[in-house]
Amino acid sequence: MTTYDYDVLYIGSGHGTFDGAIPLGAKGFKVGVIEQDLIGGTCPNRGCNAKIVLDSPVALKRHLADVHHIVTGETTIDWAANQAHKRAVISGLPAFIQGLLDDHSVDVIFGQGQLLDAHTVLVAGQNKTADKIVIATGLRPNRLDIPGSEFAHDSEDFMNLTVMPKRLTIIGAGYIGMEFATMANAAGAEVTVLMRGSQALRAYHQPFVAQIMADLTKRGVTFVTDTAVTTIDQQRDHFIVRGDEGFEMQTDWILDATGRVPNIESLNLAKVGVKYTPKGIVVDQYLRTNVPSIYAAGDVIDKTQPKLTPTAIFESKYLMHLFAGETSAPIDYPVVPSVVFTSPRLAQAGVTVAEAEAHPDQYVIEKHHVPDDWYRQVEQETMGDNVLIFDQKHTLVGATEVSHRADDVINALLPAITFQYGAEEIERLIHVFPSIAASAWDQL
């Protein structure tokens, strides 16, 4: 019988790893984690956690504006103080997560992991062997392949800005582009968003996206559509961004928000024979690659499910149960909600509006205008809509909302979608009243 250094060896230490590695270690398995950067990966250090801290005063500023006849006075965001608060909140997370790994006898090995064969990883000049290897190296920001791309910055650079530039240009209108446009605008920057096409946030209900864009436009954000950036030049203390059809503009700082790509180049996948695509590593219904001893978890997978932290957590825990012999079933994804942290928020879960509209014989669509709800008038919400999608039995199967509380509403409705609650189950639920959850469930 072959003896390995580890039962399971993870490459990467983000949510695709530690949410499963820690309980696996607690169960007595010999577990190792390879990390070349900060423990915890993108989300705690340069993603979700950092973003929501920086956005918190933005949401507060919007709320105060809504109730300006009651709470009076001008409010401004001190961006340097905001950054200091972010650092205070997240700086201890890597040590905290490593502490949890240490407490459960999980070895942390610092260095870049490179596959040598189906059971061996080279790291820090040493070969580490394992019965099973899990690749959880996530995504990184895409970089434009144009002259002058070195003058553009990525999302991590933005979230580390200590001084907000006067003029800020964002290339791309996905999650990152739209969320950071909201933050920068609220912090006083003159923001321009350059879009290659005509649609922002393409995965979401476009009439709701249009509401967000209209609101940001009213607040001073400029959207330039159907423009591909071709060059970036530096001129003294500013930059010139040029695009097709003669487009040209001056700016002080540029964010490249053109998407994210999988971290797979340094893994030696081709040598070992692991299949992958430009979207990530190919896995089967057990998150196993075509090399039976090698698995993948998190955003590095080529998958149809949203590449989000909660998805990575679910996958990591699934592999933990699989490796521990607690399940032999293929992964069964639940409904995965998603949200864009603009102001207002845009969130959705389950069957989308586009899917429902394409199959009118299967679904019933109900629309609600948020300000019509008495509870939403408490905070003087003046904009927002939602769409609830039911099957023919009037079971909720999907929901989409744009509002300042959209994330809370979708979270509140998620159990009804996931567990397919009928009238009897819904009547058994008594919510705290008044509350956003009670307001959301009233619509059912």
Side-chain angles (χ1 to χ4, degrees), residues 70-229:
I70 300 171
V71 180
T72 59
E74 291 296 318
T75 58
T76 58
I77 294 175
D78 183 330
W79 189 257
N82 200 21
Q83 280 287 359
H85 177 53
K86 181 209 74 177
R87 289 192 294 272
V89 171
I90 72 168
S91 61
L93 290 176
F96 172 74
I97 296 167
Q98 180 161 356
L100 293 175
L101 292 164
D102 292 342
D103 289 346
H104 294 88
S105 302
V106 176
D107 290 345
V108 178
I109 310 154
F110 285 97
Q112 185 180 80
Q114 188 177 62
L115 293 166
L116 295 182
D117 59 42
H119 293 280
T120 309
V121 180
L122 173 65
V123 56
Q126 295 183 319
N127 290 351
K128 300 293 182 179
T129 61
D131 181 31
K132 296 179 178 66
I133 296 169
V134 180
I135 300 169
T137 48
L139 302 171
R140 69 177 186 278
N142 180 60
R143 299 310 300 262
L144 284 167
D145 185 16
I146 59 171
S149 61
E150 67 273 16
F151 299 124
H153 301 267
D154 62 22
S155 55
E156 183 177 4
D157 296 331
F158 177 89
M159 287 190 286
N160 287 326
L161 274 173
T162 54
V163 177
M164 183 60 65
K166 179 181 179 182
R167 299 173 298 180
L168 189 147
T169 298
I170 299 173
I171 306 171
Y175 281 88
I176 292 171
M178 294 296 283
E179 290 174 344
F180 290 1
T182 301
M183 291 184 205
N185 167 257
E190 298 172 14
V191 179
T192 301
V193 179
L194 304 180
M195 302 166 55
R196 188 179 186 90
S198 60
Q199 290 185 326
L201 300 168
R202 290 189 296 271
Y204 289 85
H205 186 43
Q206 286 302 300
F208 289 0
V209 175
Q211 286 192 38
I212 292 172
M213 293 178 69
D215 184 67
L216 285 172
T217 299
K218 183 178 67 176
R219 297 177 187 277
V221 175
T222 300
F223 290 93
V224 180
T225 61
D226 302 305
T227 299
V229 176

Side-chain angles (χ1 to χ4, degrees), residues 223-426:
F223 290 93
V224 180
T225 61
D226 302 305
T227 299
V229 176
T230 54
T231 62
I232 301 171
D233 295 314
Q234 185 174 24
Q235 292 191 358
R236 297 183 298 279
D237 60 346
H238 63 272
F239 300 92
I240 305 294
V241 180
R242 294 185 175 88
D244 49 12
E245 298 184 8
F247 174 82
E248 183 177 308
M249 67 170 293
Q250 293 186 14
T251 190
D252 301 316
W253 203 88
I254 302 160
L255 171 65
D256 181 348
T258 53
R260 295 173 66 78
V261 294
N263 282 315
I264 56 177
E265 289 82 3
S266 64
L267 292 172
N268 229 9
L269 298 179
K271 178 180 179 181
V272 182
V274 174
K275 291 182 180 178
Y276 61 93
T277 74
K279 295 181 179 180
I281 294 173
V282 177
V283 297
D284 65 12
Q285 57 187 344
Y286 298 94
L287 303 186
R288 182 176 52 203
T289 71
N290 59 300
V291 178
S293 59
I294 301 178
Y295 295 73
D299 291 353
V300 77
I301 297 175
D302 180 351
K303 59 189 173 185
T304 57
Q305 289 77 21
K307 293 192 175 189
L308 303 170
T309 293
T311 319
I313 294 171
F314 186 83
E315 291 164 348
S316 187
K317 290 181 177 180
Y318 165 76
L319 285 179
M320 176 268 294
H321 291 301
L322 184 70
F323 297 158
E326 296 166 356
T327 184
S328 59
I331 191 167
D332 181 16
Y333 287 98
V335 173
V336 181
S338 61
V339 59
V340 186
F341 286 101
T342 47
S343 291
R345 312 288 201 220
L346 177 56
Q348 65 183 20
V351 175
T352 66
V353 179
E355 291 173 310
E357 289 176 341
H359 300 92
D361 57 322
Q362 299 179 32
Y363 302 110
V364 176
I365 297 174
E366 292 186 6
K367 299 180 180 180
H368 302 269
H369 186 49
V370 163
D372 292 341
D373 181 354
W374 79 269
Y375 183 75
R376 309 302 280 272
Q377 295 170 23
V378 171
E379 297 185 353
Q380 299 190 44
E381 292 190 58
T382 57
M383 66 175 293
D385 292 279
N386 70 33
V387 178
L388 302 183
I389 299 162
F390 299 87
D391 63 16
Q392 294 300 324
K393 297 178 182 178
H394 200 72
T395 300
L396 186 69
V397 294
T400 299
E401 176 159 315
V402 57
S403 77
H404 292 299
R405 302 291 299 276
D407 49 338
D408 295 325
V409 168
I410 296 303
N411 267 336
L413 294 175
L414 192 60
I417 301 172
T418 300
F419 299 113
Q420 296 289 278
Y421 288 163
E424 183 177 350
E425 291 85 359
I426 289 173

